Amino acid sequence: MNNYLLLLGISSAPAVASMCATLPLWHSKHLRNRTIHTLGLIILFLALICCLLPVITSEDTGIGFAAIAVSCINFFLFRHYERLLYTLRCPGCRHATLRVRAVHHKTYRLHCKRCGLYTDWHE
């Protein structure tokens, strides 16, 4: 039972930790989006290593392989956070004021009401 709880924690805890650690940085006007993204990835990998190391070094190899497989969910969760960062926070004025509007299939228009930044974003 403890192994299943551990797998459940490994499946989302590192991604949630990196999101919670970097979300307050969105309000900092001195940090670029790329810097926040890089810090989030570093925290994600460090938390993932800290979670996976005890599981992999245990004697039960089945749980180790399952933990590695389940840990891939973290990257999908962080990818969603990354999309939010780049579609909500303006790279010009560095405020969370971007508005997204669909133009064509998989093409979006990003517009900041604060600084007037305008760009197209392709998915």
Side-chain angles (χ1 to χ4, degrees):
M1 184 65 177
N2 288 337
N3 292 337
Y4 295 116
L5 291 175
L6 185 62
L7 288 176
L8 184 64
I10 288 172
S11 68
S12 63
V16 171
S18 68
M19 288 181 225
C20 290
T22 57
L23 196 58
L25 297 177
W26 283 32
H27 299 292
S28 175
K29 308 300 180 254
H30 303 290
L31 293 175
R32 296 181 338 187
N33 289 351
R34 192 60 156 158
T35 306
I36 295 172
H37 177 247
T38 304
L39 287 172
L41 277 177
I42 290 170
I43 294 170
L44 173 74
F45 284 126
L46 290 177
L48 196 59
I49 288 170
C50 290
C51 288
L52 285 178
L53 197 60
V55 175
I56 293 173
T57 58
S58 71
E59 294 179 12
D60 191 9
T61 58
I63 295 297
F65 287 127
I68 291 172
V70 168
S71 67
C72 295
I73 295 171
N74 288 299
F75 299 110
F76 294 112
L77 290 173
F78 192 78
R79 179 70 179 152
H80 177 69
Y81 172 75
E82 177 186 20
R83 283 186 182 166
L84 285 177
L85 175 67
Y86 286 112
T87 58
L88 292 179
R89 189 170 186 261
C90 178
C93 65
R94 297 184 179 131
H95 285 87
T97 56
L98 276 181
R99 299 292 180 247
V100 179
R101 194 179 75 210
V103 178
H104 300 292
H105 181 67
K106 294 189 178 184
T107 303
Y108 302 94
R109 181 164 289 154
L110 302 174
H111 175 45
C112 180
K113 292 182 180 181
R114 189 176 184 107
C115 69
L117 180 77
Y118 159 77
T119 185
D120 285 341
W121 181 60
H122 304 282
E123 188 175 275

